[in-house]
Amino acid sequence: MNRLSPLIADREPVLFDGAMGTLLQLRGLDDGGAGELWNVDHADEISKIHDEYAAAGARFLTTNTFGGTSPRLGLQGSADRVEELSEAAARLARAVAERHGALVAGDLGPTGELLAPMGTMTGSEAQAFFEEQLTGLVAGGIDVVLIETMSDLGEVEAAVNAAASVAPSLPVLVTLSFDTNLHTMMGVSPEVAVKTLADTGVDAVGANCGRGPSEMETIMEQMASARSDDLLLIAQSNAGLPQLVGDRFEYDAPPELMAQHALRLREIGVDVIGSCCGSTPEHVQAMHDAFIG
């Protein structure tokens, strides 16, 4: 049985929130800084962002833990704070979610390391990294596990195994980034992703990030044609592509374009719809209004 279906049965398509990293950069995060440290150092700002997304209509709030594994935090000298920062992130999202009747997605992003033979990380090491992060997320009160922006099915498998070990009762959603001629950096196609991950017991498979709404729609059409009946689809496109405006980058898909994109995804049959880099609560509000309009 699909564990996610009961959570969204009366709300399909269900709306996820939008970007966290690019929004934090607009609000003061230094380039190259660890946004996860804001879960403790700037907790009020993280809560504010969650609140803005929930008020805009998001029914799932994503924890600020995309780079929260030991290898990623180690770049900032914080490898020993994985569980602390993950639990703090989940508690912040949980408090806001309860005020709005929303749910919390515990976010697992790529470790930043390559699996052998291309790199040196083993599958068991990757699983241990994800288990450490999930221990904190579960303690903080997440409702689902979101494994996102992946390119290597081996790393996805490690994260799925970690979820089965640490949070076996929670639904698992997986998104890959297909930004290289409709394939991931490791050469995975949308069809292969769906067919491979359907056998792992995950509850939803899809795509995030990428090259914008139009390409996302093509990817989701391919996934929809390959999925099994009990597998849900999830899509979270960037708000277009970044363009240099003055001294900073701005994404070129305005809220009204993302709203039309959300309606096209619904027509394709996507069950869970959100947005990624460059999106804001204004984009989510426009998508929400399109659904109810």
Side-chain angles (χ1 to χ4, degrees):
M1 176 181 175
N2 189 296
R3 295 164 295 183
L4 183 61
S5 294
L7 299 181
I8 66 172
D10 60 342
R11 292 177 174 173
E12 291 189 49
V14 66
L15 188 60
F16 251 66
D17 55 7
M20 176 64 78
T22 51
L23 204 53
L24 288 181
Q25 290 172 1
L26 291 175
R27 299 188 184 191
L29 176 66
D30 293 335
D31 288 344
E36 290 76 19
L37 296 176
W38 280 41
N39 297 327
V40 173
D41 298 338
H42 301 283
D44 289 348
E45 189 64 38
I46 300 300
S47 294
K48 180 181 178 183
I49 290 172
H50 287 317
D51 194 73
E52 291 173 4
Y53 277 127
R59 299 274 58 86
F60 277 88
L61 304 178
T62 307
T63 60
N64 178 37
T65 53
F66 175 78
T69 52
S70 178
R72 296 286 289 268
L73 288 176
L75 299 175
Q76 307 293 328
S78 300
D80 59 341
R81 301 183 66 185
V82 172
E83 289 188 32
E84 172 204 354
L85 295 172
S86 294
E87 182 173 351
R91 291 193 183 281
L92 292 174
R94 174 88 270 145
V96 175
E98 289 182 354
R99 292 199 300 271
H100 290 271
L103 297 167
V104 177
D107 191 12
L108 304 180
T111 62
E113 303 290 329
L114 293 176
L115 284 167
M118 296 187 67
T120 60
M121 182 174 65
T122 66
S124 60
E125 287 172 337
Q127 181 175 336
F129 291 142
F130 291 125
E131 287 178 350
E132 182 181 25
Q133 189 178 14
L134 272 169
T135 298
L137 290 169
V138 170
I142 62 171
D143 297 294
V144 303
V145 177
L146 174 64
I147 301 166
E148 64 150 311
T149 324
M150 292 291 181
S151 60
D152 186 338
L153 289 175
E155 190 168 23
V156 173
E157 181 182 6
V160 170
N161 289 340
S165 174
V166 177
S169 65
L170 297 187
V172 177
L173 299 76
V174 177
T175 59
L176 295 92
S177 181
F178 300 91
D179 51 10
T180 308
N181 295 322
L182 300 183
H183 288 68
T184 74
M185 182 178 67
M186 294 299 181
V188 182
S189 70
E191 297 95 333
V192 168
V194 168
K195 292 177 180 179
T196 301
L197 294 176
D199 294 333
T200 68
V202 302
D203 303 278
V205 174
N208 77 303
C209 210
R211 297 182 53 81
S214 179
E215 194 163 288
M216 178 63 74
E217 290 158 23
T218 300
I219 291 165
M220 297 317 297
E221 287 172 348
Q222 294 179 13
M223 286 194 160
S225 67
R227 73 161 160 181
S228 58
D229 291 340
D230 60 344
L231 186 69
L232 302 183
L233 294 181
I234 174 172
Q236 295 179 290
S237 172
N238 285 349
L241 292 172
Q243 308 292 332
L244 185 60
V245 179
D247 62 350
R248 70 180 187 181
F249 285 98
E250 295 182 4
Y251 285 73
D252 61 8
E256 55 269 24
L257 189 151
M258 290 297 286
Q260 293 304 309
H261 167 63
L263 293 178
R264 287 192 290 271
L265 289 177
R266 182 171 68 179
E267 292 174 359
I268 291 168
V270 179
D271 307 282
V272 182
I273 298 172
S275 49
C276 200
C277 300
S279 62
T280 67
E282 288 74 24
H283 289 84
V284 172
Q285 182 72 62
M287 296 164 80
H288 173 263
D289 292 347
F291 286 151
I292 66 175

